[in-house]
Every structure is written in C-alpha cells, then in structure tokens.
Amino acid sequence: MKILISNDDGYLAPGIVALAEVMASIAEIVVVAPDSNRSGASNSLTLDRPLSVTRADNGFYVVNGTPSDCVHVALTGLLAEKPDLVVSGINQGQNMGDDTIYSGTVAAATEGYLFGIPSIAFSQVDKGWQEIAAAARVARDIVLRRFDALQKPYLLNVNIPNLPYEKLGKVVPTRLGKRHESEAVIKEQDQQGRDVYWIGLVGAVRDAGEGTDFHATAHGDISVTPLQMDLTHRAQLANLSEAWV
Ligand code: MN
C-alpha cells in the first residue's frame, strides 16, 4: 500500500511526524506538507506564483504553499504513481461541524478525494498535542480497516479525543454537527495607530445532538464522518425549479 501524507500545521508539526511514523509501519509513505502553518487555508490553491518543493532532513517534501497545493503537486507532478490512500493531519485541534469548511486538514484530504483517491483527515479534539501517540495509533487502526463496504473514493473526517489509547471509546459513524456563527473579530492598533483585526474564535456549538461528531467526541468516542463535495442544495433546487414554471 502507498500512502500520501499531508497536513495544514506545517511539516514540523508533531501531528504529521507521529502520523508519518505509524503509516510507515504499514505502508510505503511519501510526505508532502506546507513549509509553515496554513491552518484555515481551506481548499485554496496558489495561482499567483510558482511553488517550490524542497526536501527536509527527515525526507519530507516541503512546499511553500497550502495543503491543497501540496496534495495537488504530489498527485500531478511529484509522484510516479497514484497512492492508494491520502491521509492528512494529525491536526492540532478539532475539525467538526462548520470547522470542516475552513479546515486545511480536511482540504488536503479533499484534494486526494477529488482526484479519485480514498482520503482521510485526522484531527485531535483539543490543542496542545496531548496523547498524540494514541491518536496516531487510532489513525493506524482506522487505515487498516480499509472500509470495504464504502463506495470509492471515500472522504472521511476523523476526530480523536486527547485520551490515552486505553481510555478511548469506540469508533462512531457520525454526521457533522453545527456551530453558531463565529465570535466577533478582535480589534487592535498596529504601530502606526491603524486599526487591525484578528479573526475571532469559532462559534459555540449549536447542534451537538446524538449522532453528531460533537456528541461522539464529548463522550470519549472517535468520530468518523463521511463527507461529500457536491454543494447542491437538492430541496432548494426543486423550489427553484418550481418558482420558474
Ligand atoms: Mn491546523
């Protein structure tokens, strides 16, 4: 099995180092990751300049671009053969509910999925890298399941509570929950006395009901949400069609 690995926290992040280590124990791996932290990059591609690829001491390929750039360059220019799987992460912090829209971790996996390759995004629920070895072990367990019952390609979004391996609950199939809108921006003044704005925190959870990713991880379980990329609102399409006759 050949696995392509990327992330959005950058090639030096403990999450991708741990993920690469466990994946190397079960597969042939290539790591292609951003040179810096590109969390929140979503699915953006760099179109206003060329990308460079360098090789780090540990063998990781490093791209001066976004997570989507990394997977895109790997699949269309760097790799001689298509991988069997793309994995992304392990992200520092949860990617649940509406987070998935902005996530570079999910985006790296999505890029693989859009090229027809089964892809999995992994995130730890809390920031700080506590129990990253346990999360990596979970990632390995999940990859080894192979999900024969799923349509291919699949795109899975996995969130893992920061718990020791023995304390982790079961793997639970979930749907995305929902958050309230984000907190307000944080206004500051720069050295010239001009107003500048930091994007604020994500909103509080609005739908964390049973069956959601929020609900599963709050109970110590590992959340696995199958994602799709067709943004069409089918019910609204019917309404729209009706409105036009
Ligand atoms: Mn991140």
Side-chain angles (χ1 to χ4, degrees), residues 17 22 48 50 52 55 73 82 95 108 122 142 146 155 158-159 163 187 195 207 211 217 225-226 232:
V17 173
V22 292
D48 58 349
S52 67
R55 201 94 194 253
V73 167
K82 259 192 179 187
N95 280 306
F122 293 101
I142 286 175
R146 287 169 185 272
L155 174 59
V158 179
N159 282 276
L163 292 170
K187 190 169 154 184
D195 289 338
D207 172 14
T217 55
T225 309
T232 310

Side-chain angles (χ1 to χ4, degrees), residues 116-143:
I117 302 165
S119 300
I120 310 177
F122 293 101
S123 303
Q124 276 195 302
V125 171
D126 296 316
K127 295 191 176 184
W129 307 115
Q130 288 94 349
E131 306 298 344
I132 188 66
R137 214 171 138 190
V138 168
R140 182 178 178 274
D141 293 347
I142 286 175
V143 166

Side-chain angles (χ1 to χ4, degrees), residues 129-241:
W129 307 115
Q130 288 94 349
E131 306 298 344
I132 188 66
R137 214 171 138 190
V138 168
R140 182 178 178 274
D141 293 347
I142 286 175
V143 166
L144 287 175
R145 283 193 186 207
R146 287 169 185 272
F147 298 105
D148 287 337
L150 296 183
Q151 284 174 28
K152 282 202 179 161
Y154 51 77
L155 174 59
L156 302 178
N157 183 40
V158 179
N159 282 276
I160 307 162
N162 300 53
L163 292 170
Y165 190 79
E166 318 74 57
K167 294 247 169 78
L168 280 164
K170 53 196 182 300
V171 172
V172 180
T174 56
R175 63 181 168 85
L176 297 180
K178 261 202 138 348
R179 291 186 186 277
H180 288 280
E181 58 265 37
S182 299
E183 303 284 321
V185 290
I186 299 146
K187 190 169 154 184
E188 288 179 355
Q189 293 204 315
D190 70 8
Q191 288 170 333
Q192 279 79 42
R194 291 173 299 212
D195 289 338
V196 292
Y197 302 87
W198 288 96
I199 296 292
L201 295 174
V202 295
V205 172
R206 186 195 334 233
D207 172 14
E210 206 167 341
T212 64
D213 44 7
F214 292 119
H215 188 272
T217 55
H219 291 78
D221 290 332
I222 297 149
S223 166
V224 181
T225 309
L227 301 179
Q228 62 182 350
M229 281 301 125
D230 179 357
L231 300 181
T232 310
H233 192 310
R234 307 226 168 243
Q236 204 70 299
L237 176 62
N239 294 340
L240 188 66
S241 304

Side-chain angles (χ1 to χ4, degrees), residues 8-9 37-40 91-93 95 104-105:
D8 76 355
D9 294 331
N37 190 333
R38 302 303 302 267
S39 295
N91 189 58
Q92 172 167 229
N95 280 306
T105 306

